[in-house]
Amino acid sequence: MAAKPRSIRIGRAHIQVLVYVTVCIAVFLLPSFIDNDFLLNRIARYLVLSILAMALALSWGYAGILNLGQALSFGLGSYCMAMALKLRTVPVHTGAEGLPDFMVWNNIETLPLFWQPFYSLTFAIIAGLLVPALCAAVLGWFMFRGRITGVYVAIITLAALVVGNLLIIDQQPYTGGFNGITDLAQLELFGFEFDAYSSSTYYLVASGLSISLLTALAITRSKTGLILQAIRDQENRVRFFGYDVAAYQNFAFSVSAAIAGLAGMLYTVVMEFASPTFLGVPLSLAVVIWVAVGGRQSLLGAMLGAILVAGMQGALSESETFLDTWTLIMGAMFVLVVLFLPKGLAGLVDIVRDRIAGARGRPVDDEESAGDGAAAKTAGAAQ
Amino acid sequence: MDIVLQQLITGLGIAAVLLLVALGLAIIYGTMGVINLAHGEFVMLGAYGAWVLNAYFGLGLLASLPLVFLGVAILGWLVEKGVIRHLYERPLDTILATWGIGVMLQQIVRLTAGGELRYVQMPAALGHSTTILGVDVSAYRVFIFLTVVVLFAVTWLLMYRTTLGMKLRAIVQDRSIANCFGINSGRVFGLTFAYGAGLAGLAGALVAPLKSVSPEMGTGYVVDAFFVVVLGGVQSLFGTVGSAFLLGELTGVIAYIRNDTIAKALVLLAIVVLIRFRPQGLFAVRVRS
């Protein structure tokens, strides 16, 4: 009998991996049922946003770092891709001697030094991952070494986001300012052309989604993931065990930023432009909503939250009657979720499962979820 | 010399508005630990309150102030009873819930009053400008400055010289012990939140003539006010004054040397660095946690 709970837990782990892989496969199979390039582009867009939400769930749900500046990483990734694609447009679009058009309008004579390496697409893609990750690592080093937690992390990341946004808008000659970077060339990788309105781009997004989701899953299931959750619940106890808490937090924070950067790059490919709104406060807070609605402690839940909320927003804001009331509904939904479903929609799954288990007369919880509940309580008190 | 004085007074003007908005937030955050992101929307509602009373009931700005205070305070009380009350165990979630409330308030105003800019008239008696130490200052700015001083004094008296304030401070020290002594902490928190919200409403009504009134106006204020409170030290009223003064002058000076955007970015960076090294704020008082 003693071995039974253990076998259940292993079973659950297998089921989780199975569910995640199934979702990835389903995402890949979707285009065979959809014959509409416009719709496919729309879906690809929501999938990209769901990657962004998943990145936040990794740092917020698993490591307890409420990053209100998630959009900063997203925007940086997006701009890296946009810069490379801008330099690949036909010279007609890019002003004299291959200079991007907005630079010509701002009387810039030569290509700025930091734009030069973006002639190489490989460099741009690496930069799209590394620039956000490095920025996050520096900020994280700054915060976590000083044992900044909870609300102050939220404030600092929000401030960093606002600073980034202000600078990009202010440095118009180098970044395109308010207008962002538009008129981009199509992405070409390994001889494939990625037209935003074709299934090729969709598959690119689906690959990005699968890779980042499975990477994140691997992290959460590893020992590091366990320590991260322990830090979320009781930071000091982990510290007393001799773990370098700041290093673990910084790891989660930077990986999350890199994934957000990847999402940003994909977003540029899907939307065909980069704009300062990609690193705006509204988007950054919207991501927090998606994750809260979907379930901050479930990668898949966060993704579903993003697709549901952003998708509903997209669908409802098209019809006249809902255009105005949508925001109202979203606000109300958000308040209700925070009040009644602190674990989001993914928490519903747990509740239903426990109900079924309870109805069968079996002990409702095994060790794992009982520990979760208690841990969540102490975490709440500690914050 | 003139420029320095001019800058100092401009900075004081910015600081007065900052303090006005931050005072209510400081009380709510400092005593209840609730991060009220809907504060900006309370400010916005105050401004709209002044506009409605002016445009439909012909009330002057000064006459509408008590009504605005009362109206927004009642709304704040309702919000505390309906939502915040359930979240004292989860402070980080108050950020999320109050943000949701803010979004709703903003949208309700947009649906009822329309999204276009509204204008509130300055009281006729304060429309002129006066000269202080050889610098021209609008009389209305001086009026705001004096009002802030009065409001601060009232708040201080309320906190440190009334029974309600004493009960509140007892709850901040230890809520369960305070309950044991027969203090109704739920009621005190409700009133505190209402008072903070009312102050935000007053702030909105007072700044309405300086800027145009729009549903989005609150967002900018809440971020600035929040930084003032964090910088000043969470439980210190005088700290809030000090940091409002500091931020106001700093913004004024940098904006004069460079431009507004750079000023804002630099001030934010300075705050980030400050939080890192003094999370308890510049002027923190020691309290039992």
Side-chain angles (χ1 to χ4, degrees):
Chain A
M1 274 313 274
K4 204 182 173 194
R6 176 143 188 85
S7 71
I8 287 172
R9 200 176 307 159
I10 288 172
R12 209 179 258 180
H14 284 311
I15 289 172
Q16 193 193 16
V17 174
L18 204 68
V19 168
Y20 276 56
V21 172
T22 316
V23 167
C24 292
I25 294 173
V27 167
F28 271 102
L29 288 181
L30 199 63
S32 30
F33 303 104
I34 293 172
D35 197 22
N36 179 344
D37 282 342
F38 182 74
L39 188 62
L40 215 52
N41 174 272
R42 176 80 66 74
I43 296 173
R45 193 182 143 209
Y46 295 137
L47 289 181
V48 172
L49 294 178
S50 79
I51 303 176
L52 181 59
M54 192 267 291
L56 182 65
L58 187 63
S59 76
W60 183 24
Y62 281 88
I65 305 162
L66 176 51
N67 180 0
L68 290 187
Q70 191 75 8
L72 182 60
S73 311
F74 184 72
L76 287 176
S78 156
Y79 268 85
C80 283
M81 181 55 88
M83 281 158 80
L85 295 184
K86 184 73 188 171
L87 291 177
R88 295 180 158 239
T89 42
V90 232
V92 175
H93 292 289
T94 57
E97 291 157 27
L99 213 57
D101 44 12
F102 61 85
M103 290 191 188
V104 178
W105 302 330
N106 284 289
N107 298 323
I108 299 271
E109 312 257 299
T110 51
L111 196 66
L113 211 57
F114 74 98
W115 270 75
Q116 301 275 6
F118 286 90
Y119 275 117
S120 151
L121 192 60
T122 324
F123 175 88
I125 291 174
I126 294 173
L129 292 170
L130 278 191
V131 170
L134 284 179
C135 286
V138 171
L139 191 65
W141 175 78
F142 183 71
M143 288 192 298
F144 302 131
R145 283 282 161 222
R147 300 196 182 173
I148 300 289
T149 50
V151 176
Y152 294 110
V153 171
I155 301 171
I156 290 183
T157 47
L158 187 65
L161 171 75
V162 175
V163 169
N165 194 2
L166 285 174
L167 286 182
I168 286 206
I169 292 175
D170 189 61
Q171 297 297 311
Q172 193 174 9
Y174 306 109
T175 60
F178 259 119
N179 306 319
I181 304 180
T182 49
D183 268 333
L184 301 180
Q186 268 168 19
L187 176 66
E188 256 189 84
L189 264 184
F190 314 117
F192 288 105
E193 280 228 346
F194 292 100
D195 181 350
Y197 292 90
S198 72
S199 52
S200 59
T201 301
Y202 179 89
Y203 285 121
L204 182 71
V205 170
S207 317
L209 182 142
S210 307
I211 294 170
S212 47
L213 180 63
L214 295 178
T215 311
L217 179 69
I219 291 175
T220 58
R221 298 212 64 87
S222 69
K223 189 185 163 203
T224 308
L226 206 59
I227 294 170
L228 285 175
Q229 293 175 57
I231 291 173
R232 175 195 70 202
D233 293 342
Q234 265 297 339
E235 198 179 316
N236 273 332
R237 282 189 202 171
V238 181
R239 189 168 283 131
F240 296 154
F241 275 128
Y243 288 105
D244 187 349
V245 168
Y248 279 98
Q249 284 175 318
N250 212 356
F251 171 74
F253 192 59
S254 311
V255 170
S256 162
I259 296 178
L262 173 75
M265 287 195 284
L266 292 171
Y267 204 60
T268 295
V269 176
V270 173
M271 301 295 284
E272 302 183 297
F273 68 98
S275 136
T277 55
F278 293 179
L279 44 137
V281 175
L283 177 70
S284 214
L285 290 175
V287 182
V288 177
I289 300 187
W290 302 336
V291 176
V293 169
R296 63 189 87 162
Q297 285 169 22
S298 158
L299 300 173
L300 213 53
M303 290 186 118
L304 281 180
I307 294 171
L308 268 179
V309 179
M312 240 158 81
Q313 182 170 13
L316 288 184
S317 55
E318 262 172 32
S319 73
E320 281 288 320
T321 31
F322 282 113
L323 185 65
D324 290 323
T325 41
W326 160 249
T327 326
L328 199 60
I329 298 171
M330 195 183 69
M333 194 167 70
F334 193 50
V335 174
L336 290 177
V337 165
V338 171
L339 278 182
F340 299 111
L341 277 178
K343 282 185 165 185
L345 294 177
L348 269 182
V349 177
D350 290 346
I351 294 172
V352 170
R353 194 185 56 203
D354 291 348
R355 279 271 163 78
I356 294 170
R360 279 191 203 144
R362 205 155 55 80
V364 175
D365 271 343
D366 64 347
E367 240 175 284
E368 194 180 13
S369 50
D372 266 4
K377 260 178 220 152
T378 47
Q383 279 157 11
Chain B
M1 190 58 211
D2 262 3
I3 291 176
V4 174
L5 210 60
Q6 174 85 48
Q7 275 308 309
L8 198 73
I9 289 179
T10 313
L12 269 185
I14 303 176
V17 173
L18 271 180
L19 181 58
L20 192 59
V21 180
L23 201 55
L25 199 68
I27 290 167
I28 292 174
Y29 183 46
T31 59
M32 306 164 71
V34 170
I35 296 140
N36 179 20
L37 283 189
H39 196 74
E41 273 61 43
F42 290 152
V43 172
M44 181 266 296
L45 282 177
Y48 269 94
W51 172 72
V52 167
L53 289 174
N54 191 314
Y56 293 97
F57 301 97
L59 272 181
L61 181 66
L62 298 182
S64 63
L65 286 181
L67 286 173
V68 167
F69 177 81
L70 212 63
V72 182
I74 290 173
L75 182 80
W77 187 79
L78 289 175
V79 166
E80 202 273 343
K81 287 296 158 221
V83 179
I84 313 284
R85 190 159 62 93
H86 307 286
L87 296 174
Y88 287 126
E89 303 289 306
R90 302 185 267 147
L92 216 51
D93 282 1
T94 57
I95 302 186
L96 309 175
T98 50
W99 189 73
I101 293 168
V103 167
M104 285 167 71
L105 290 177
Q106 220 181 78
Q107 197 59 30
I108 290 171
V109 167
R110 198 174 287 129
L111 285 175
T112 50
E116 57 268 43
L117 298 179
R118 307 288 185 186
Y119 298 93
V120 175
Q121 270 189 346
M122 216 174 265
L126 297 166
H128 61 281
S129 66
T130 51
T131 316
I132 298 174
L133 297 172
V135 180
D136 281 339
V137 191
S138 123
Y140 191 69
R141 288 262 180 199
V142 178
F143 168 71
I144 287 192
F145 187 81
L146 294 177
T147 316
V148 173
V149 172
V150 171
L151 280 178
F152 179 77
V154 169
T155 307
W156 190 85
L157 287 175
L158 193 70
M159 287 281 285
Y160 293 96
R161 290 288 181 272
T162 63
T163 324
L164 180 72
M166 193 162 67
K167 285 177 178 172
L168 181 61
R169 281 179 292 134
I171 297 169
V172 171
Q173 293 276 330
D174 192 320
R175 186 167 180 180
S176 49
I177 300 283
N179 280 337
C180 291
F181 276 100
I183 295 172
N184 184 348
S185 62
R187 192 172 150 267
V188 175
F189 271 0
L191 287 176
T192 309
F193 199 86
Y195 180 70
L199 281 184
L202 271 190
L206 283 170
V207 298
L210 295 177
K211 301 198 171 137
S212 46
V213 178
S214 72
E216 300 85 21
M217 67 181 284
T219 324
Y221 284 117
V222 71
V223 175
D224 291 347
F226 201 61
F227 285 131
V228 169
V229 175
V230 170
L231 191 66
V234 166
Q235 256 119 7
S236 153
L237 275 184
F238 283 102
T240 311
V241 178
S243 71
F245 176 75
L246 201 70
L247 280 184
E249 292 294 347
L250 205 62
T251 314
V253 169
I254 303 177
Y256 176 73
I257 299 171
R258 295 294 296 273
N259 63 45
D260 278 348
T261 317
I262 299 292
K264 204 144 188 223
L266 282 179
V267 168
L268 281 177
L269 279 181
I271 289 170
V272 166
V273 174
L274 247 153
I275 291 176
R276 163 66 169 72
F277 293 105
R278 269 190 80 86
Q280 70 274 42
L282 274 184
F283 311 92
V285 283
R286 204 171 285 184
V287 282
R288 215 195 289 180
S289 59

